[in-house]
Amino acid sequence: MRLLEWQGREVLAKAGIPVPDGEVAAHPKEVERIAARLGRPVVVKAQVPVGGRGKAGGIRLAKTPKEAEEVARALLGSTIKGIRVEKLLVVEAMEPRAEHYLGILLDRSARMPLFLYSPQGGVEIEEVARQNPELVSRVHIPPLEGPASFRLRKLFALAPKGLQPTLLDVAKKLWSVFVAYEAHLVEINPLAELDGRFVALDAKIIVDDDHSPGPQFAELGEEVADPLEAAARKAGMSYVRLDGNIGILGNGAGLVMATLDLVAQAGGRPANFLDIGGGARAERVKTGIDLILRDGRAKVLFVNVFGGITRCDEVARGVLEALQNREIPVVIRLVGTNEEEGRRILASAGFIPVRTMEEGAAKAVAIAKEAECAR
Ligand code: GDP
Ligand code: MN
């Protein structure tokens, strides 16, 4: 589960990492009150569990409490990357001298946590790594040993000399968060530098869904999962949000992964994918399609089902029910148990399944491209 920024911020603050003064709010009047208390320009930040909020218009500067209220009115209830904004974080605006990047992630191939640092933060680290790979340093941390100072000094070799001790201190605190919250990822971007001090202007923390119980999680308060992922889990299915425009439904993790690969090879980008699991009945298929289409980002639906214990006729019925009042184009590949009956049901509604996955992927990608051009 990915914590929202305001929760991550509290976690960092509790670990002793400086954060800007501020509060979270759900109403414009509250936002105004917080801005008035802070008594200076503020940054109003949409609390949605996705990155790139800045570019998407979810981070706004407000000079006065009145302006903060107006910004809040515009942001609350709007959607950013398909997610409804329910809460705003209001923090004092800072004028950083520089924006750095500091993160720890689990490097599964090395079986070790990996520290990443760049003196050039503020933008996505992948972007920096592509354009200026020499500005990103990486240091693995043997988990039983922890973040020994000599390793961290190597990590911060790129940092201005005088700032290294302070960065070392922030890194050790960030490590304590990574361990205590059983995280896959903790990331501060930007880590702002103000006259030799560092302040975490953003906080991204992804906690392992199978973390052991502990009071630190209870303190986080409400459930923080992506609303669509949570709804899918509740229905016993798994949904994953991606950032393209092709919705994918399949049965079984292996088939779904293969479908993602084929779509990528055909030059397309999935908006999400949903695994209906084994033996799904029509109702479940319908629920799955509803979830895939709910945020409106998918311009085409690609259903790829291999019938084993899953029956093709049930899948076909579910597809038809889900699409009853919708305009979305759909590409279907349906083979296996009760395939003939499934095809008959689909044909009665004018849908002709494709024969192969490859053909389906190519068709879905072509439709998605056309939809983007038509906009
Ligand atoms: P993200 O785009 O979802 O990662 O959201 P961030 O919280 O990282 O904000 C995006 C950008 O807004 C940051 O890289 C900063 O450049 C800027 N920003 C965020 N908070 C502040 C702030 O308090 N002061 C200033 N000057 N810029 C900020
Ligand atoms: Mn950020």
Side-chain angles (χ1 to χ4, degrees), residues 21-324:
D21 193 1
E23 286 174 60
V24 69
H27 302 284
K29 278 289 169 203
E30 255 180 288
V31 170
E32 183 186 12
R33 181 183 58 71
I34 297 165
R37 175 178 79 72
L38 293 172
R40 47 184 301 179
V42 295
V43 179
V44 180
K45 312 180 77 175
Q47 297 301 289
V48 286
V50 292
R53 293 168 302 162
K55 275 188 219 153
I59 312 275
R60 311 264 184 93
L61 182 76
K63 294 221 166 65
T64 65
K66 204 74 217 146
E67 203 182 321
E69 186 202 338
E70 280 161 23
V71 165
R73 235 176 257 292
L75 281 178
L76 285 166
S78 70
T79 57
I80 290 181
K81 299 194 171 182
I83 303 181
R84 212 179 125 85
V85 180
E86 313 263 5
K87 283 199 164 84
L88 300 171
L89 176 65
V90 187
V91 290
E92 53 178 333
M94 304 203 142
E95 289 306 326
R97 181 177 335 180
E99 296 189 336
H100 301 233
Y101 172 99
L102 183 62
I104 310 171
L105 54 90
L106 202 57
D107 180 355
R108 290 175 197 279
S109 55
R111 302 180 181 179
M112 274 191 270
L114 175 67
F115 252 109
L116 288 175
Y117 166 77
S118 175
Q120 189 177 305
V123 294
E124 277 177 48
I125 193 70
E126 291 86 353
E127 198 60 36
V128 183
R130 232 186 336 265
Q131 291 177 359
N132 301 91
E134 74 286 355
L135 288 183
V136 180
S137 58
R138 302 153 207 270
V139 171
H140 282 106
I141 304 292
L144 297 180
E145 190 179 295
S149 296
F150 78 92
R151 290 192 203 279
L152 294 181
R153 276 195 289 274
K154 207 154 72 187
L155 179 71
F156 295 124
L158 290 172
K161 273 277 170 287
L163 298 176
Q164 290 176 357
T166 320
L167 282 168
L168 214 84
D169 179 60
V170 174
K172 289 201 169 170
K173 288 170 174 162
L174 193 61
W175 175 264
S176 75
V177 169
F178 184 76
V179 173
Y181 285 81
E182 301 185 25
H184 291 229
L185 175 82
V186 292
E187 189 183 85
I188 305 176
N189 187 26
L191 176 61
E193 176 198 340
L194 307 111
D195 316 310
R197 289 189 310 130
F198 282 96
V199 180
L201 291 195
D202 190 11
K204 177 174 175 184
I205 299 180
I206 300 178
V207 173
D208 193 311
D209 285 333
D210 296 318
H211 65 77
S212 51
Q216 70 275 37
F217 300 109
E219 281 166 20
L220 295 175
E222 67 215 79
E223 177 58 34
V224 287
D226 181 307
L228 287 171
E229 285 184 19
R233 194 168 325 133
K234 218 164 155 190
M237 299 183 279
S238 52
Y239 167 100
V240 173
R241 169 191 303 277
L242 298 166
D243 57 10
N245 56 8
I246 301 173
I248 292 176
L249 177 136
N251 62 327
L255 181 66
V256 171
M257 292 300 136
T259 311
L260 293 171
D261 286 346
L262 285 176
V263 164
Q265 266 169 30
R269 290 173 47 240
N272 50 37
F273 63 85
L274 184 134
D275 178 2
I276 54 172
R281 307 295 299 263
E283 182 57 33
R284 198 173 163 81
V285 173
K286 176 179 183 299
T287 305
I289 293 177
D290 285 342
L291 288 168
I292 289 175
L293 301 180
R294 191 171 299 169
D295 66 13
R297 292 179 311 119
K299 302 294 174 237
V300 53
L301 171 67
F302 182 15
V303 175
N304 186 7
V305 169
F306 185 87
I309 50 172
T310 306
R311 285 166 34 195
C312 292
D313 55 319
E314 287 289 334
V315 173
R317 263 187 276 277
V319 169
L320 292 194
E321 274 174 43
L323 297 182
Q324 231 164 28

